[in-house]
Amino acid sequence: MLELKGVTKMVGAETHISDINLTLEPGTLNVLLGPTLSGKTSLMRLMAGLDRPTSGQVFFRGKDVTGVSVQKRDVAMVYQQFINYPALTVYENIASPMRVAGVDKATIDREVRKAAELLKLTPMLKRTPLNLSGGQQQRTALARAIVKNAGLVLLDEPLANLDYKLREELRLELPRIFAESGAIFVYATTEPSEALLLGGNTATLSEGRVTQFGPTIDVYREPADILTAETFADPPLNVIDVVKRNGRFVMEDEASVPAQGALASLADGPYRMAFHPHQLRLERLGEDHAPIKARVTVTEITGSESFIHLDFAGQKWVALVHGIHEFEPDAMVEAYIDPRHIMIFDAQDRRAMAPSSLAA
Amino acid sequence: MARIELDHIRHAYMANPQSADDYALKEVHHQWSDGGAYALLGPSGCGKTTLLNIISGLLKPSEGQIRFNGTDVTNLSTEERNIAQVFQFPVVYDTMTVFDNLAFPLRNRGLPEADVKKRVTETLEMLDLSDRANKRARGLTADQKQKISLGRGLVRRDVNAILFDEPLTVIDPHLKWVLRSELKKLHRRFGFTMVYVTHDQTEALTFADKVVVMYEGEIVQIGTPDELFRKPAHTFVGYFIGSPGMNIVPIKLDQGRARLGEHVIDMPGATPMPGKMELGIRPEFVTLGREGMPVSISKVEDIGRHRIVRAQLADHDIAVVVPEDGDIPADPRVTFVPEGINLYADSRRVETRG
Amino acid sequence: MEKTYNNKAWFLVLPVLVLVAFSAVIPLMTVVNYSVQDTFGNNVFFWAGTEWFEQVLTSSRFHGALIRSLSFSLVILAIQIPLGIFVALNMPRKGIGVPICLVLMALPLLIPWNVVGTIWQVFGRGDIGLLGYTLRTLGISYNYATDPWHAWITVVVMDVWHWTSLVVLLCYAGLVSIPDAYYQAAKIDGASRWSVFRYIQLPKMNRVLLIAVLLRFMDSFMIYTEPFVVTGGGPGSATNFLSIDLVKMAIGQFDLGPAAAMSIVYFLIILALSWVFYTVMTNYDTANR
């Protein structure tokens, strides 16, 4: 178990990590999700022991390891860049942490072959990393991290430098690979879709703070505040200021969404409403779906889906709809908001009510 | 702006290519229309960067001719071809201001300072960078730097084409959306001929009017996003486009029907033919329910707006996309939506109807 | 948080402290000691106060040596920095030429100073040296032993030969770190060769150039061995640089007091000038951000 208690990291006058409390259980996959410079790498360095926190403590298996250097901790790390020993074969690359630890030959051979099998590297064992594709190089780095059999494995955007499809394939394999080891895995990424595909737990980061931590799908569905919701949205969240009155959330040009279920009991007044682009639809699926009229700025088509960029009351919105829908720029379209999938935030940008309590 | 003609172009990096495998770029013979937005899409090593370098003039093709608006430019250098390019990593002149960065290509061409000022101001306006005109380029964020790279192409109104080499690689996901749609707007407004190299299908499909899918040095399909999605010409296109990619399962073909293991799927118009026969169906066109062919589910991935169900159908792995509120029955069965079925003989698509 | 203090850790830095004391602090203090006292040998010392410092700072001999040393450093920088950049710009970026050029460049740096001096001393001699002989055959009178200008030119050329490759190697390291995309973009923008240098290569070489200027300044200001071997400070006092003068005063005349005072002044000048260089150039660097 890895515990961070009130961990803060200052560099000069700048706060890189601000008062983080996290508990990660063995055998779990934990995603750190946030944009560039949100503190993912800084946090990983603190977890690894590469940096010492300015204040706060780090516990590993119940022991305070705050000042303990990385060599003495039980940690393996995989980076965005493919880092391997260029002069060694793939076999020797994978074996290197065990050689350092002085493991006997027979065990090394067994472990290397097992890891190579798991990561589909068996045919490449005799090659050197420079003769491998990017995907194979990163698999080698992953295999090395796995044979080290460390209690904590840190992966800093390991797939970012890989081709889209390779990324997709590795992403699919990773949870299975992780599941076979009892280690704590920490995985940093900038992409919400990657977090969702990996599953496990997610901590959303914003400006050095953890805004929320919990099972990935729950954080996605029930963000506690607007920062978390925005960090966890791809395409970006649609947001607008609303005023609640007469049981409706009224937007700028008098369009309004009915306040249903628990949201109905909210006090009247100003709020911010947000919803995911796929909840903005071009056809009316229910009587209570609220119509809005918006101006199209650009349409993007991905084959199965269309992203329609809209300008509504000065807000930049996106509608993600199934099928092909081409619109001329500046065309006016009618779109519908599903009142069951809206999120309402209060003046402090905290979630005013969870929709799951309504959906039932 | 120009029409780009690629006339029987082949390229090999080695001196004396013998077989087709020696060519990094196998025969390309196409014409790209003036003002079109093209994306070159494929995995690394597919030849897309080779083709881009041939267009930009960094590379002279081993064989064939390249023409802009009918003029042979095969032997012209990059600067003589009058093109603009945006690279993977933002290229800005660190010591210059944003304004001077944009003015640089114009001043190099000896334009009068009054015209330079007018055009740069206009371009800054277009790119939403006016407020940063007098800042040094060094202190900007990656996306702003990338805009400046683009801006240096846009200020030259007469460029033949603007080339993009994976320009969003270093940009955060949120900003990718913004930059991509701005690019699309600019294209709509000014109608440049644009060629965009990427390995990311979403970028390619959303950016381009026509997507050029490349695989092992060959163009396997050129089509609209819709065509690539519904009728992939090659099983590779089916696999590469779409997330997850197309389900491809081997079948035996009788007159008008396909046999997949013990299951029979109606395929009107299909006739038996020699070669390896496969059926391709997108996960979006597989319906999970209580009717049809039984499957065993191995995994369900909830990715928010829908779920991806991984299952075995007659010993083959398939993926099914289930909507956010769709249900997954205890005794799962699947049916294929007839419009979504594609037939492949030796990996190439076969037309089955009319 | 509870911390345990353990003063035993200080013992671990003790060896370093001893080493620094013997190698730097004690010699320096000895020099300071000499500079404020007078001695006639036999370990008998008289307090001299600031007398030696006043004598050194007002002596025309010191002024002459200082001006010669400064001029020498300025000439060296004015030649070696542009020449180094020029050579680095023209070195190949890939292929078999790279290792060949790098080895050629590294060669002069590997030769000990006194050997460099001896090589040039012999090389320039009119009777047996290749250079001196050739020049004499061509009808050019050349004699570094008698003509002050010839002596100067010889020492400068020798230093350029010896040290320009250091500047080249530093600049080359800066140049190869520039990604290809920059050159391609510049081509597309229609940039001239000069613009490429001014706006891409020079800004990227900024940092290494700072190091090159600092190193070359300090080294040339302290030059001793080569001119000592070739000219011995002559003819007359034409190449009598500060370091040579200092040694003459200390060892030759055994004027330990003034020599000590002079070496302290010398040290402070180097320190001050290096600091000025460094601040000016780093300020320039940050101002460009």
Side-chain angles (χ1 to χ4, degrees):
Chain A
M1 194 162 77
L2 179 76
E3 269 180 286
L4 278 72
K5 287 188 182 164
V7 167
T8 298
K9 175 77 186 172
M10 312 272 296
V11 177
E14 263 176 77
T15 308
H16 284 202
I17 290 295
S18 169
D19 190 26
I20 286 184
N21 295 289
L22 268 184
T23 304
L24 309 180
E25 302 288 341
T28 55
L29 168 60
N30 305 280
V31 180
L32 302 179
L33 175 67
T36 318
L37 298 179
S38 59
K40 301 188 297 296
T41 305
S42 307
L43 185 56
M44 283 198 158
R45 291 180 62 88
L46 291 170
M47 288 176 172
L50 287 164
D51 289 333
R52 199 194 166 108
T54 313
S55 63
Q57 285 158 284
V58 182
F59 291 89
F60 189 56
R61 297 192 182 121
K63 271 204 325 224
D64 185 351
V65 293
T66 312
V68 179
S69 74
V70 64
Q71 288 90 343
K72 291 188 188 150
R73 292 203 199 174
D74 190 14
V75 178
M77 218 164 165
V78 177
Y79 301 85
Q80 185 177 342
Q81 295 80 16
F82 317 134
I83 297 175
N84 291 304
Y85 300 104
L88 300 183
T89 59
V90 169
Y91 184 99
E92 283 304 318
N93 259 290
I94 302 175
S96 59
M98 287 187 289
R99 294 239 194 269
V100 172
V103 178
D104 67 275
K105 266 196 168 163
T107 317
I108 290 182
D109 194 66
R110 200 180 59 238
E111 289 298 313
V112 168
R113 291 190 189 282
K114 203 175 117 197
E117 198 57 41
L118 196 64
L119 284 150
K120 299 179 182 163
L121 283 168
T122 309
M124 288 96 192
L125 282 175
K126 290 207 175 82
R127 296 207 227 159
T128 56
L130 293 178
N131 298 315
L132 298 179
S133 71
Q136 290 162 344
Q137 289 186 40
Q138 196 62 318
R139 282 169 198 264
T140 307
L142 279 167
R144 198 173 52 232
I146 284 164
V147 296
K148 198 176 172 191
N149 210 2
L152 175 63
V153 182
L154 303 166
L155 305 117
D156 194 357
E157 300 190 45
L159 307 184
N161 285 356
L162 294 177
D163 268 11
Y164 194 84
K165 271 284 157 176
L166 263 175
R167 220 184 280 174
E168 214 171 273
E169 282 167 14
L170 264 176
R171 217 181 257 156
L172 207 62
E173 293 169 22
L174 285 176
R176 181 174 55 88
I177 294 165
F178 296 162
E180 302 213 345
S181 122
I184 303 172
F185 284 86
V186 180
Y187 188 110
T189 180
T190 57
E191 290 180 42
S193 58
E194 188 155 86
L196 285 165
L197 278 168
L198 289 169
N201 300 318
T202 290
T204 43
L205 267 93
S206 175
E207 294 174 354
R209 283 170 197 282
V210 169
T211 58
Q212 195 169 345
F213 178 65
T216 303
I217 196 73
D218 293 356
V219 178
Y220 173 80
R221 292 246 159 83
E222 316 288 351
D225 53 35
I226 202 159
L227 264 177
T228 307
E230 279 174 341
T231 309
F232 221 142
D234 182 38
L237 213 57
N238 297 324
V239 183
I240 192 164
D241 289 330
V242 291
V243 176
K244 181 166 184 280
R245 62 172 169 313
N246 306 327
R248 300 185 76 84
F249 295 106
V250 184
M251 291 171 264
E252 204 166 89
D253 54 359
E254 291 308 306
S256 64
V257 183
Q260 296 188 337
L263 289 177
S265 57
L266 282 179
D268 280 5
Y271 292 96
R272 285 180 98 183
M273 180 173 82
F275 53 93
H276 285 285
H278 67 277
Q279 306 294 2
L280 187 59
R281 301 206 170 82
L282 290 178
E283 65 272 32
R284 197 166 192 169
L285 294 177
E287 270 305 297
D288 51 359
H289 287 206
I292 56 145
K293 271 197 166 20
R295 191 174 58 80
V296 175
T297 54
V298 185
T299 319
E300 296 176 312
I301 294 161
T302 68
S304 57
E305 292 168 322
S306 307
F307 298 103
I308 302 154
H309 294 252
L310 300 166
D311 180 332
F312 174 71
Q315 302 293 314
K316 284 178 181 168
W317 280 6
V318 181
L320 170 50
V321 295
H322 280 285
I324 308 250
H325 301 266
E326 223 5 320
F327 292 99
E328 284 304 308
D330 293 328
M332 294 303 290
V333 292
E334 186 149 287
Y336 306 91
I337 303 169
D338 184 345
R340 281 169 308 156
H341 286 110
I342 57 170
M343 296 179 267
I344 297 293
F345 299 92
D346 62 19
Q348 283 77 44
D349 282 336
R350 274 193 296 273
R351 188 70 178 277
M353 203 65 67
S356 63
S357 50
L358 329 159
Chain B
M1 288 298 134
R3 183 178 76 243
I4 300 172
E5 291 161 74
L6 303 160
D7 188 349
H8 296 97
I9 284 182
R10 296 214 284 176
H11 188 76
Y13 286 100
M14 56 181 78
N16 287 305
Q18 304 296 322
S19 67
D21 284 343
D22 291 347
Y23 286 90
L25 190 65
K26 289 159 198 156
E27 182 137 323
V28 173
H29 185 69
H30 281 288
Q31 201 181 92
W32 295 350
S33 57
D34 186 3
Y38 293 86
L40 304 182
L41 175 69
S44 51
C46 71
K48 57 188 193 294
T49 307
T50 306
L51 185 54
L52 189 80
N53 288 344
I54 286 173
I55 297 171
S56 73
L58 283 172
L59 209 61
K60 190 179 170 301
S62 311
E63 291 158 40
Q65 207 185 45
I66 170 163
R67 288 187 294 270
F68 288 175
N69 281 339
T71 316
D72 181 8
V73 296
T74 318
N75 294 310
L76 295 187
S77 67
T78 305
E79 49 272 50
E80 290 165 321
R81 289 188 189 191
N82 200 15
I83 46 123
Q85 186 161 356
V86 179
F87 297 88
Q88 194 169 5
F89 297 97
V91 173
V92 295
Y93 303 110
D94 284 341
T95 52
M96 295 186 202
T97 61
V98 172
F99 184 96
D100 288 340
N101 256 281
L102 263 61
F104 190 61
L106 300 178
R107 287 175 181 155
N108 285 332
R109 287 171 175 76
L111 214 72
E113 199 55 34
D115 293 355
V116 170
K117 188 161 194 308
K118 186 167 153 279
R119 282 217 215 153
V120 171
T121 315
E122 275 171 25
T123 311
L124 285 171
E125 198 78 31
M126 258 157 67
L127 294 171
D128 229 358
L129 283 172
S130 302
D131 50 331
R132 294 198 164 73
N134 294 316
K135 287 235 172 71
R136 280 205 192 269
R138 192 194 289 222
L140 300 179
T141 56
D143 58 307
Q144 289 166 337
K145 285 185 179 178
Q146 218 42 328
K147 277 195 193 176
I148 294 175
S149 310
L150 173 62
R152 285 204 311 271
L154 294 179
V155 284
R156 292 157 52 198
R157 292 297 139 73
D158 58 338
V159 287
N160 281 320
I162 303 180
L163 312 181
F164 298 86
D165 189 1
E166 312 211 357
L168 300 182
T169 308
V170 293
I171 311 291
D172 263 359
H174 280 79
L175 289 166
K176 271 183 192 172
W177 284 93
V178 179
L179 269 188
R180 223 169 52 207
S181 63
E182 281 182 26
L183 201 56
K184 187 119 184 167
K185 268 185 252 173
L186 288 171
H187 181 246
R188 287 249 169 198
R189 247 174 85 192
F190 301 101
F192 312 105
T193 308
M194 304 217 260
V195 182
Y196 188 112
V197 163
T198 179
H199 62 79
D200 185 322
Q201 46 153 334
T202 314
E203 275 178 40
L205 294 168
T206 50
F207 165 82
D209 308 331
K210 285 277 176 71
V211 178
V212 180
V213 186
M214 298 187 66
Y215 177 53
E216 292 183 344
E218 264 179 293
I219 293 179
V220 285
Q221 189 171 6
I222 298 186
T224 62
D226 180 35
E227 284 164 359
L228 296 179
F229 185 76
R230 285 191 304 111
K231 296 178 174 180
H234 191 280
T235 49
F236 174 77
V237 180
Y239 152 80
F240 200 75
I241 290 189
S243 186
M246 190 180 237
N247 299 306
I248 312 271
V249 287
I251 51 160
K252 288 208 176 67
L253 198 62
D254 295 337
Q255 193 65 42
R257 60 180 47 176
R259 279 189 295 137
L260 166 62
E262 59 198 27
H263 310 297
V264 175
I265 300 153
D266 281 335
M267 293 188 79
T271 44
M273 53 182 81
K276 182 180 68 168
M277 298 305 295
E278 286 165 310
L279 179 150
I281 183 137
R282 295 243 173 236
E284 289 85 350
F285 293 120
V286 182
T287 320
L288 192 69
R290 292 186 171 76
E291 282 167 33
M293 299 169 280
V295 291
S296 61
I297 294 175
S298 54
K299 196 178 174 197
V300 180
E301 295 162 15
D302 192 333
I303 62 161
R305 59 197 166 87
H306 55 237
R307 279 170 294 178
I308 300 166
V309 175
R310 309 272 171 185
Q312 274 79 43
L313 169 63
D315 294 333
H316 300 290
D317 288 336
I318 62 161
V320 184
V321 167
V322 179
E324 195 177 15
D325 35 15
D327 85 318
I328 297 168
D331 173 29
R333 286 162 178 271
V334 294
T335 49
F336 295 167
V337 177
E339 298 88 73
I341 297 175
N342 284 279
L343 185 62
Y344 295 92
D346 287 332
S347 301
R348 307 256 166 204
R349 185 170 183 274
V350 185
E351 201 65 48
T352 48
R353 266 162 273 212
Chain C
M1 196 173 111
E2 221 178 293
K3 267 187 189 160
T4 52
Y5 288 96
N6 192 337
N7 290 323
K8 271 184 228 156
W10 286 107
F11 284 107
L12 298 177
V13 288
L14 202 63
V16 179
L17 289 178
V18 170
L19 206 68
V20 170
F22 273 97
S23 66
V25 180
I26 294 176
L28 192 67
M29 287 324 292
T30 317
V31 173
V32 171
N33 195 27
Y34 279 135
S35 73
V36 292
Q37 300 187 68
D38 195 2
T39 179
F40 302 105
N42 301 332
N43 267 338
V44 185
F45 290 91
F46 305 92
W47 177 251
T50 58
E51 194 188 322
W52 299 135
F53 285 94
E54 282 163 28
Q55 188 187 322
V56 164
L57 288 173
T58 52
S59 83
S60 58
R61 175 177 166 181
F62 176 73
H63 291 166
L66 179 61
I67 287 168
R68 273 190 293 278
S69 276
L70 276 178
S71 327
F72 179 72
S73 290
L74 290 181
V75 170
I76 289 299
L77 287 182
I79 296 174
Q80 290 185 356
I81 299 297
L83 184 63
I85 293 173
F86 178 78
V87 174
L89 286 176
N90 288 293
M91 265 172 65
R93 295 288 149 70
K94 48 186 145 210
I96 184 74
V98 176
I100 294 175
C101 284
L102 288 179
V103 168
L104 279 180
M105 285 296 142
L107 269 183
L109 299 175
L110 298 174
I111 302 172
W113 293 278
N114 56 339
V115 177
V116 172
T118 314
I119 290 174
W120 279 81
Q121 198 212 6
V122 175
F123 192 44
R125 273 169 64 168
D127 48 355
I128 52 168
L130 186 63
L131 177 72
Y133 183 78
T134 314
L135 285 173
R136 214 172 55 173
T137 336
L138 289 171
I140 302 164
S141 81
Y142 167 76
N143 192 339
Y144 60 76
T146 54
D147 188 323
W149 279 111
H150 292 175
W152 257 80
I153 291 169
T154 309
V155 176
V156 167
V157 169
M158 180 173 67
D159 196 82
V160 167
W161 177 82
H162 194 182
W163 288 111
T164 304
S165 39
L166 177 74
V167 182
V168 173
L169 291 177
L170 283 170
C171 290
Y172 187 72
L175 282 175
V176 290
S177 69
I178 303 174
D180 265 350
Y182 277 83
Y183 295 113
Q184 292 170 25
K187 261 191 197 173
I188 288 167
D189 289 337
S192 61
R193 184 73 197 81
W194 166 251
S195 297
V196 171
F197 173 69
R198 169 70 186 78
Y199 297 112
I200 296 173
Q201 293 171 323
L202 199 56
K204 296 275 171 193
M205 279 194 293
N206 232 342
R207 276 149 207 279
V208 286
L209 272 181
L210 167 70
I211 295 167
V213 168
L214 257 180
L215 282 179
R216 283 316 300 131
F217 170 73
M218 289 193 295
D219 249 11
S220 61
F221 197 67
M222 297 188 294
I223 190 167
Y224 173 74
T225 317
E226 299 99 314
F228 180 75
V229 172
V230 178
T231 64
S237 58
T239 55
N240 213 9
F241 300 121
L242 271 177
S243 55
I244 293 180
D245 200 37
L246 186 63
V247 174
K248 277 184 182 169
M249 193 185 284
I251 314 282
Q253 300 158 229
F254 214 71
D255 284 336
L256 285 186
M262 185 171 156
S263 56
I264 287 174
V265 174
Y266 190 16
F267 170 70
L268 291 177
I269 291 173
I270 293 178
L271 201 67
L273 284 175
S274 301
W275 181 77
V276 168
F277 264 116
Y278 185 79
T279 5
V280 167
M281 295 191 73
T282 42
N283 275 354
Y284 173 79
D285 201 41
T286 42
N288 270 323
R289 251 147 225 281

